[in-house]
Amino acid sequence: MKTDDIRTKFLEFFASKGARIVPSDSLVPHNDPTLLFTGAGMNQFKDQFMGLRIEYRAATTCQKCIRTGDIMNVGVTPAHQTFFEMLGNFSFGGYFKREAIAWAWEFLTRETGMSPDRLQVSVHDSDDEAYAIWEKEIGLAPERVHRLGDHDNFWPADAPKLGPNGPCGPCSEIFYDRGARFGCGKPDCGIACDCRRWVEIWNLVFTQFNRQDGGKLVPLPQKNIDTGMGLERMAACLQGAPTNMDIDIFQPLTGAVAALAGKKYGMVREEDVLMRRTADHARAIAFCIGDGVLPANSHRGYVLKRLLRRAALDGRRLGIGRSFLHTLVPIVGEVMKQPYPEILDHGTSIAETIRLEEEKFLTTLDRGLERIDQAIASVREAGGSIFPGAAAFELYDTYGFPYELAEEVVARDGLTVDRAGFDAAMADAKAKAREGSRMKGDVFAKGPLQDVKKLVSGSEFLGYETLSSDGTALAVVLGGSLVGEAGPGSQVTVVLDRTPFYGESGGQVGDTGLLVGPGNLVVRVEDTQKLDGIHLHEGEVESGVLKPNMAVNAQVDAERRLDIMRNHTTAHLLHYALRQVLGDKAEQKGSYVGPDRLRFDFRHGTAVTPDQREEIEEIVNRRILENAPVVTRVMPVDQARKAGAIALFGEKYGEEVRVLFTGDYSIELCGGTHMRETAPIGSFRLVSEESIAAGIRRVEGVTGIAAFRLSRGQGELLGDIGRELRTHPREARSRIRAMSEHLRELEKTVIQLRLSAARERAARSEPTMVGDARLLALDVGETGARELGELAREALAKLGENGVAVLAGRDGDKAAVAVAVGKGLAPARIKAGDIVKRLSAIVGGGGGGRPDFAQAGGREAEKINELVSRTPAIVAGLLH
């Protein structure tokens, strides 16, 4: 049975039993605390399990999951993957054990045609009810129903003793017998055996308790069902596949990896492991990026980066010497298009993000591997077995090697990494990076905020309607503590019961202004933050004495707020224009809205062209001139989505949301402050466009008076350029082009002169014999890397089939070296790549290439003479 058919049959089967099919919107971590994906799984239905919210009594899902806790087993064992699908059926106070067990048996034996003789089950050792259902109602013989303890048959495992707190309960697991040929051959081989004969395919959890502190199991208000079936495991059993990665949806991927590597899958075990793992990781990477995750150095982004770089390294081990993972995205999209068409829909953007990140890694991979080899050799020479943590951190910090990747590489040489040393180096680097930072939000949240929350539940925000309001100072924080008063010069944080000050959120900066009160009290508010619904007015007492429960008048800096509002409304116009010009895939990934400028980050694989920038800028300005109304409405989040509202990156939304309508063309969820119409924005100018991460671009712009000043300044600059060129500003562009063309011609002449000088130097030099090889090692002076390669090939043509040409030169302030080896020597007796690796280390660099030709660069041009003098010995040592 095809994998797609199993998925469809499962959902339709439980829908026929009255369950609602709940879609899988995003990736979730599967029993893996290192991941921070949001979405479904048990957490999706936690309120329903607790009886706090019941929208429907039964549900069924197919959930996308990711797991990296046992990543070392991926590709090695038959059943481990990083990305997989989990089929599930759930009951919230509806059906319970009898129906859950009966329907599971019906689905397996009737809907899929699985042989009952191949199935055995386990139950919790205290669950007599489940045992009786399996034995008496389903008809399983007692020897096929096994009683096990908390570790095996309670979910979460060992929850009664070890936690965590929350919904839990005993479970019943269903196992499939793959046959004696997969087993260990022991007489007592069964479901508890560690061999690979028995596969757990379905876990039925009877969620009936709420675990509390001390291991107390309190019955829930209702009894629930929470089941999980691994789709790929089920497919492997039904298709008779030896591993999960040999099923129908994996075969095109492993086949593509094999073709790229010039290998045949199923011939060499070690290569098969690499192919399976690469196929698995490619699928996981595509779904991560499709779900909005991008490569980064923390949290979800780090998980993605680790998977991508691990797959790239596996590709290198298979002999794939270029970026290739992006070419697998269309295959992932094709095999997964039935349930998840978004991979094909966003395939170009996903592939481009992968390509950029992989190529960035590959630029340092060879140097990183060389550094690992050097460090391993040093450990071996010293007779040790521990790879230094400082070296592992250098690989991470300088060459982009995740710790786990370095750990895998050195393990092949029998070494382990000093984790404590790595963590110490990491902590030291982080401490240096944090030095001088304010960290005010984090510090406040962990300290005085807890005291403030005992006094205040939240602040009423009035800033949508007014910039000035009366209020009461409910709390005053000074030096990290609540105080009874604060005098002139005190740096304070003030909490009001009601305020017009906007607290920083959604990319919009916080307001500034004044708090004015009796006794000549003036507090200059320098920033406003918002934590847990409480507005924190941070500033300095300029005069008077501030006390809790004092009445104050809060006054927002109106001119500054107006500039912020111009920029925030323009950010929405910019988002609209980007999607018009670049397509709907130009999704927002971050923003900054201040009084001086706006910044907008969005998904796009390539640089925005000058023509596109011009078009984007013009669309925004045309929309400004139309003076369209800007209206906000509060509505239920479901209603907003039906209206077509776009949710902005980084925002958290409750049951009700603010929806911003700009004209009849832009509808977005936004809690910020905005203009009432577009014309008072004035004008908009794009200031810059750049890449900030793989597949992510950033634009910055200005509005209002700042846009006017920019235009005026550019006009003045153009006038100055015209005067320097002694031409009218309108002619400056053509004059500069002519001068640039003339300069390029001069540079070409210089290159030709250098090349001629280098050729003459090479012609005057005589080769030396190293064994039976004719070696020419020469410093040819100032020569670009491209020309150096050309000279090396010319020299080899004169040396003949047993020739080795090693030419070094200076390319600016850097060293460059090119090595060419004749076909009488390469690759059987010596390789150009091996020579260049040794030589480049002398000049502080690295490089590589083919067996017959290789190039490298280095930072230490002053050591070129040493490189040339040591070449004969290095060639002699490598020649065999």
Side-chain angles (χ1 to χ4, degrees):
M1 183 178 291
K2 292 181 178 180
T3 304
D4 284 344
D5 293 338
I6 300 171
R7 185 193 301 108
T8 301
K9 276 183 174 290
F10 184 93
L11 297 175
E12 290 179 348
F13 176 81
F14 282 100
S16 72
K17 304 295 184 183
R20 177 184 293 189
I21 299 176
V22 180
S24 169
D25 292 328
S26 57
L27 282 164
V28 298
H30 183 76
N31 195 26
D32 192 341
T34 65
L35 299 180
L36 300 173
F37 291 103
T38 60
M42 181 179 277
N43 287 336
Q44 181 184 22
F45 301 122
K46 185 174 181 180
D47 287 349
Q48 284 96 321
F49 285 139
M50 298 292 290
L52 302 177
R53 176 169 58 91
I54 301 296
E55 297 179 23
Y56 34 81
R57 286 292 177 184
T60 184
T61 66
C62 181
Q63 180 62 58
K64 298 177 292 184
C65 300
I66 191 163
R67 174 189 180 120
T68 62
D70 45 14
I71 194 172
M72 295 298 290
N73 290 326
V74 175
V76 179
T77 70
H80 282 91
Q81 300 155 240
T82 53
F83 172 84
F84 58 96
E85 295 177 78
M86 183 64 72
L87 299 168
N89 58 288
F90 308 87
S91 169
F92 316 112
Y95 67 83
F96 197 47
K97 292 182 185 179
R98 175 168 284 102
E99 294 87 349
I101 292 173
W103 291 345
W105 188 256
E106 179 184 350
F107 178 79
L108 291 175
T109 59
R110 296 185 186 176
E111 296 295 319
T112 73
M114 188 171 277
S115 170
D117 295 337
R118 286 181 174 266
L119 300 174
Q120 294 194 18
V121 302
S122 66
V123 298
H124 191 261
D125 53 16
S126 67
D127 196 346
D128 295 335
E129 180 184 2
Y131 187 94
I133 294 170
W134 281 115
E135 183 184 12
K136 296 178 181 178
E137 299 184 24
I138 302 301
L140 288 184
E143 61 269 20
R144 294 171 62 191
V145 185
H146 308 269
R147 292 181 183 265
L148 300 174
D150 288 348
H151 183 72
D152 295 295
N153 275 84
F154 203 94
W155 188 259
D158 296 312
K161 293 181 180 178
L162 304 179
N165 290 346
C168 60
C171 63
S172 179
E173 294 182 330
I174 304 174
F175 293 84
Y176 179 80
D177 182 3
R178 300 172 71 216
R181 67 191 180 96
F182 291 100
C184 57
K186 297 177 181 177
D188 59 347
C189 180
I191 64 169
C193 187
D194 290 334
C195 73
R196 296 171 181 176
R197 175 174 178 173
W198 296 91
V199 179
E200 177 215 328
I201 55 173
W202 206 341
N203 188 10
L204 315 179
V205 182
F206 311 126
T207 312
Q208 59 193 88
F209 299 114
N210 180 26
R211 201 259 191 201
Q212 298 181 352
D213 290 342
K216 186 177 181 182
L217 298 180
V218 179
L220 289 168
Q222 60 190 26
K223 294 180 178 181
N224 311 291
I225 292 294
D226 171 12
T227 86
M229 173 198 286
L231 175 61
E232 292 85 356
R233 286 190 182 188
M234 186 68 177
C237 292
L238 290 173
Q239 294 173 19
T243 77
N244 289 6
M245 294 183 205
D246 290 294
I247 63 176
D248 55 346
I249 61 173
F250 264 109
Q251 288 175 358
L253 276 169
T254 51
V257 175
L260 287 165
K263 311 282 186 183
K264 188 173 181 180
Y265 181 71
M267 301 297 291
V268 180
R269 183 184 181 281
E270 291 77 12
E271 292 179 350
D272 288 350
V273 168
L274 296 176
M275 292 182 213
R276 287 195 293 264
R277 189 160 66 194
T278 303
D280 167 85
H281 288 8
R283 207 167 69 124
I285 292 161
F287 273 92
C288 282
I289 297 174
D291 208 54
V293 182
L294 294 170
N297 289 328
S298 61
H299 303 321
R300 302 186 302 171
Y302 180 73
V303 173
L304 171 60
K305 178 179 282 191
R306 179 187 173 195
L307 287 172
L308 197 152
R309 298 191 168 191
R310 198 167 186 259
L313 182 58
D314 282 348
R316 179 61 62 88
R317 291 173 182 161
L318 285 167
I320 305 173
R322 62 190 185 282
S323 64
F324 71 97
L325 292 171
H326 64 283
T327 67
L328 302 177
V329 173
I331 303 172
V332 175
E334 186 62 31
V335 297
M336 302 299 290
K337 67 182 178 182
Q338 179 176 314
Y340 310 112
E342 62 269 20
I343 300 299
L344 276 182
D345 293 343
H346 299 283
T348 301
S349 176
I350 294 170
E352 183 65 6
T353 300
I354 293 172
R355 184 187 67 79
L356 292 170
E357 181 64 25
E358 185 179 6
E359 288 181 353
K360 184 168 70 173
F361 177 54
L362 292 178
T363 58
T364 61
L365 176 59
D366 286 329
R367 291 170 59 197
L369 290 173
E370 184 178 344
R371 179 68 185 92
I372 288 181
D373 290 342
Q374 291 171 353
I376 289 174
S378 298
V379 173
R380 287 286 184 228
E381 287 173 8
S385 61
I386 305 297
F387 189 86
F393 179 74
E394 179 193 353
L395 288 164
Y396 166 79
D397 192 44
T398 304
Y399 302 105
F401 270 65
Y403 170 85
E404 296 82 1
L405 199 56
E407 196 173 39
E408 289 181 39
V409 173
V410 304
R412 296 199 305 272
D413 286 87
L415 303 183
T416 57
V417 180
D418 172 17
R419 182 67 199 234
F422 175 87
D423 290 341
M426 175 71 83
D428 184 56
K430 287 182 177 179
K432 290 176 180 176
R434 284 196 305 265
E435 193 173 335
S437 66
R438 296 168 70 190
M439 298 185 297
K440 57 187 177 183
D442 287 344
V443 172
F444 196 93
K446 294 174 183 176
L449 181 63
Q450 302 307 314
D451 296 326
V452 170
K453 288 170 72 174
K454 295 175 183 177
L455 305 173
V456 184
S457 59
S459 308
E460 181 184 0
F461 178 59
L462 307 174
Y464 293 128
E465 294 81 26
T466 182
L467 297 180
S468 176
S469 67
D470 293 327
T472 302
L474 299 180
V476 179
V477 177
L478 174 65
S481 301
L482 290 169
V483 296
E485 63 177 44
S490 300
Q491 293 290 328
V492 295
T493 298
V494 187
V495 178
L496 306 180
D497 61 337
R498 55 209 308 264
T499 178
F501 282 75
Y502 183 86
E504 181 177 332
S505 62
Q508 179 175 328
V509 299
D511 281 331
T512 64
L514 299 174
L515 302 180
V516 179
N520 197 32
L521 172 69
V522 177
V523 179
R524 183 165 297 280
V525 178
E526 298 163 348
D527 191 16
T528 308
Q529 294 291 314
K530 184 180 177 183
L531 292 173
D532 294 349
I534 300 173
H535 285 70
L536 309 172
H537 307 77
E538 301 175 348
E540 180 180 351
V541 180
E542 292 192 343
S543 62
V545 177
L546 174 65
K547 299 180 180 180
N549 300 315
M550 179 178 282
V552 297
N553 181 255
Q555 305 168 9
V556 173
D557 183 331
E559 183 177 349
R560 181 177 181 274
R561 166 72 88 80
L562 186 58
D563 287 336
I564 293 171
M565 290 162 62
R566 285 191 181 98
N567 285 334
H568 202 157
T569 301
T570 303
H572 288 257
L573 297 179
L574 176 59
H575 192 194
Y576 161 77
L578 287 165
R579 291 165 69 91
Q580 289 292 302
V581 176
L582 305 177
D584 290 343
K585 296 173 184 176
E587 303 161 350
Q588 179 179 349
K589 305 307 293 182
S591 68
Y592 166 86
V593 178
D596 55 335
R597 71 189 191 282
L598 63 99
R599 186 179 70 216
F600 197 89
D601 303 337
F602 60 98
R603 183 195 293 274
H604 191 58
T606 59
V608 180
T609 68
D611 287 346
Q612 288 172 331
R613 287 182 57 172
E614 191 173 296
E615 186 179 358
I616 290 163
E617 193 175 68
E618 183 166 333
I619 289 174
V620 174
N621 280 292
R622 284 187 178 278
R623 291 302 188 185
I624 289 172
L625 291 173
E626 288 174 0
N627 198 27
V630 181
V631 180
T632 56
R633 297 176 190 156
V634 177
M635 61 181 69
V637 66
D638 290 341
Q639 182 182 340
R641 291 191 175 115
K642 288 177 182 176
I646 300 173
L648 299 185
F649 175 84
E651 282 291 316
K652 302 294 184 182
Y653 301 107
E655 291 299 317
E656 287 200 330
V657 293
R658 290 179 64 84
V659 183
L660 186 76
F661 294 83
T662 308
D664 59 358
Y665 49 83
S666 175
I667 309 174
E668 297 188 335
L669 274 60
C670 184
T673 60
H674 289 275
M675 308 297 290
R676 296 184 186 277
E677 54 274 319
T678 59
I681 293 171
S683 64
F684 168 72
R685 292 294 309 276
L686 263 180
V687 176
S688 64
E689 190 271 345
E690 62 180 340
S691 170
I692 60 168
I696 302 297
R697 310 297 299 182
R698 168 174 291 171
V699 290
E700 291 198 6
V702 292
T703 64
I705 195 67
F708 165 74
R709 288 170 179 163
L710 176 64
S711 297
R712 183 178 61 188
Q714 289 177 340
E716 292 172 352
L717 176 62
L718 186 57
D720 291 342
I721 291 171
R723 283 187 288 275
E724 288 292 328
L725 297 174
R726 298 180 182 180
T727 188
H728 192 280
R730 285 196 300 267
E731 305 298 327
R733 181 180 295 169
S734 59
R735 179 66 64 88
I736 291 171
R737 284 175 178 165
M739 293 174 67
S740 297
E741 183 62 31
H742 180 61
L743 182 59
R744 281 193 289 271
E745 291 300 323
L746 292 175
E747 289 173 344
K748 288 179 183 178
T749 301
V750 170
I751 290 172
Q752 289 303 317
L753 289 172
R754 286 179 178 172
L755 198 56
S756 296
R759 280 196 179 101
E760 186 177 340
R761 192 175 293 118
R764 292 198 307 265
S765 302
E766 291 294 330
T768 58
M769 297 302 297
V770 177
D772 60 345
R774 302 184 71 217
L775 170 65
L776 178 64
L778 184 64
D779 175 3
V780 295
E782 285 285 344
T783 309
R786 181 177 177 181
E787 291 74 30
L788 196 64
E790 184 180 334
L791 288 169
R793 291 187 177 94
E794 291 176 3
L796 180 64
K798 296 179 180 178
L799 291 171
E801 292 186 353
N802 275 20
V804 178
V806 177
L807 301 187
R810 291 160 185 80
D811 189 2
D813 60 348
K814 303 285 175 55
V817 60
V819 178
V821 179
K823 61 182 180 181
L825 300 175
R829 300 184 59 198
I830 195 168
K831 297 177 182 178
D834 294 339
I835 299 173
V836 90
K837 280 184 181 179
R838 302 288 184 89
L839 294 176
S840 60
I842 298 171
V843 291
R850 304 187 308 272
D852 61 336
F853 181 79
Q855 283 188 280
R859 301 180 300 274
E860 302 171 28
E862 67 276 9
K863 293 186 177 180
I864 286 179
N865 287 339
E866 180 185 349
L867 180 152
V868 172
S869 64
R870 291 176 59 183
T871 297
I874 289 173
V875 171
L878 292 171
L879 190 65
H880 56 271

